Amino acid sequence: IPCCQVSSGINAEYGVVDDKTPVATILHDVQIVDNEDLPLTSLSCHDVPVDIVCTPTRVLRTKTRIPKPAKIFWDLISDTMMDDIGALKELKAMQSNGQISQ
């Protein structure tokens, strides 16, 4: 799982972001593809759809209707990620102690 997807999940678990929070990214023009070239079936449950794409030559608003993940998919978190990302450890402990709902 790429780190940006983990941070998005952490922020969603804390209630800092939700499905209405805009997500932007920076790409090169050659990285832009049509919807037909990237079918929804190729996306994973943890993929974060973007609302705004900035390239060197333009700004695109995607008008995506793909829902953003609202949680961490704990079964996809490796032991290494858990060791390396302190916020994951803290969030898991807070959920275990009932400080944050699961």
Side-chain angles (χ1 to χ4, degrees), residues 20-80:
K20 293 181 175 96
T21 305
V23 175
T25 193
I26 301 169
L27 297 175
H28 191 278
D29 289 288
V30 299
Q31 293 176 284
I32 304 295
V33 296
D34 290 328
N35 287 342
E36 297 80 33
D37 295 330
L38 185 66
L40 287 178
T41 55
S42 67
L43 299 177
S44 298
C45 60
H46 56 78
D47 286 332
V48 179
V50 297
D51 302 291
I52 303 165
V53 178
C54 299
T55 75
T57 63
R58 57 193 169 156
V59 175
L60 305 168
R61 300 201 181 264
T62 66
K63 299 179 184 170
T64 184
R65 296 178 191 267
I66 302 167
K68 296 177 176 87
K71 64 177 187 169
I72 292 286
F73 294 91
W74 291 107
D75 56 322
L76 301 177
I77 301 296
S78 68
D79 292 339
T80 302

